[in-house]
Amino acid sequence: ISTIKSSNEKSKSPMKMEEDRPTKPKPPMATVPPEVRSEKPLLDDKHVTEGKGDLATPAAPVFMEGFDKQKTIDLLYWRNVKQSGAVFGSVLLLLFSLTQFSVVSVGAYLTLAALSASISFRIYKSVLQAVQKTDEGHPFKSYLEVEISLSQDQIGNYADKALLYVNTCMKELRRLFLVQDLIDSLKFAVLMWLLTYVGALFNGLTLLILAVVSMFSMPIVYEKHQAQIDQYVGLIRTQVNSVVGKIQAKIPGAKRKEE
């Protein structure tokens, strides 16, 4: 009997040990790495920010949205004839007005014209609302609510770009005036000598008018006759390079460092 009991106890003991074996406790939430626990909220936040837009970077003002490189190229290449014609005519009219009147007079007349148009339209809409007995509100309400202010980040970006250009110009002028490279300084002197003749023939406003006309005419002309223009420009560049090479060979100490 004792043998049977002992054999029964031995047969039951493994089962008991399996049942009494403590199960492996589950790790609490505190032991889970924060990266794993925060993965889902991060995705949710991403979807939220995608729906609301980029909240970290301030939105550009509405009046700055129209100024980009592609739209400027389309304007100069007359992709939209009406828009390019309106801008070209307005700028030329302004410049021709400046040739006849002072800057103060032109600014005052333009301001009076704009004020007259806006005040007349405001009175017209007010009378129309009174006659029709409607409550449409201010006619320029949508424009008054438009954000036109610049943020500090945008002002800082523009200031950094302007500072970069100013520093570059100062370094280049120092290099030219202190004759770091003799050939470049001679080229600059020849350019200034030619500008003395240009200044004797034209004033600043005339040159500005010619520059505006060239900006709105040269791109479209170059686009239509690109092959011929590139050929003539290549010939002129070859002749200029040969003349500069001859001058550089005759002037002592005028050889460039890379040679």
Side-chain angles (χ1 to χ4, degrees), residues 193-208 210:
W193 177 68
L194 292 176
L195 286 180
T196 58
Y197 288 94
V198 174
L201 297 175
F202 308 101
N203 56 15
L205 281 175
T206 306
L207 291 176
L208 192 57
L210 292 176

Side-chain angles (χ1 to χ4, degrees), residues 166-179:
V166 170
N167 290 334
T168 304
C169 291
M170 291 176 62
K171 291 179 181 179
E172 186 66 21
L173 290 175
R174 182 185 64 180
R175 189 180 69 86
L176 293 173
F177 279 102
L178 298 182
V179 197

Side-chain angles (χ1 to χ4, degrees), residues 88-119:
F88 180 58
S90 302
V91 174
L92 276 186
L93 180 61
L94 176 62
L95 293 177
F96 279 120
S97 300
L98 290 174
T99 58
Q100 301 296 325
F101 306 99
S102 63
V103 178
V104 177
S105 299
V106 173
Y109 282 125
L110 289 177
T111 304
L112 284 175
L115 281 174
S116 300
S118 60
I119 291 173

Side-chain angles (χ1 to χ4, degrees), residues 113-252:
L115 281 174
S116 300
S118 60
I119 291 173
S120 300
F121 185 73
R122 176 74 170 87
I123 294 174
Y124 168 74
K125 294 297 289 185
S126 299
V127 173
L128 192 63
Q129 291 174 12
V131 171
Q132 296 180 353
K133 295 181 180 180
T134 59
D135 190 12
E136 296 180 0
H138 200 286
F140 300 117
K141 183 179 180 180
S142 59
Y143 297 100
L144 291 172
E145 295 176 352
V146 171
E147 180 66 28
I148 60 173
S149 61
L150 291 174
S151 64
Q152 293 182 356
D153 295 336
Q154 291 171 341
I155 294 175
N157 292 333
Y158 298 146
D160 292 340
K161 292 180 181 179
L163 185 62
L164 178 62
Y165 294 146
V166 170
N167 290 334
T168 304
C169 291
M170 291 176 62
K171 291 179 181 179
E172 186 66 21
L173 290 175
R174 182 185 64 180
R175 189 180 69 86
L176 293 173
F177 279 102
L178 298 182
V179 197
Q180 182 179 354
D181 192 311
L182 183 59
I183 295 299
D184 290 341
S185 298
L186 288 175
K187 289 180 181 179
F188 185 66
V190 171
L191 178 62
M192 293 297 105
W193 177 68
L194 292 176
L195 286 180
T196 58
Y197 288 94
V198 174
L201 297 175
F202 308 101
N203 56 15
L205 281 175
T206 306
L207 291 176
L208 192 57
I209 291 172
L210 292 176
V212 171
V213 173
S214 300
M215 286 172 57
F216 281 88
S217 60
M218 292 299 294
I220 191 68
V221 172
Y222 178 75
E223 188 179 28
K224 291 182 179 180
H225 307 283
Q226 183 176 359
Q228 295 86 345
I229 294 174
D230 289 341
Q231 182 179 359
Y232 291 127
V233 169
L235 293 175
I236 295 172
R237 185 177 298 173
T238 302
Q239 295 295 328
V240 171
N241 290 334
S242 63
V243 172
V244 171
K246 292 178 181 179
I247 295 175
Q248 183 177 355
K250 292 181 179 180
I251 298 177

Side-chain angles (χ1 to χ4, degrees), residues 27-47:
M29 288 299 296
T31 60
V32 180
E35 293 82 0
V36 178
R37 287 188 284 109
S38 61
E39 182 177 0
K40 188 174 180 179
L42 285 176
L43 294 175
D44 295 336
D45 292 337
K46 182 179 179 181
H47 290 295

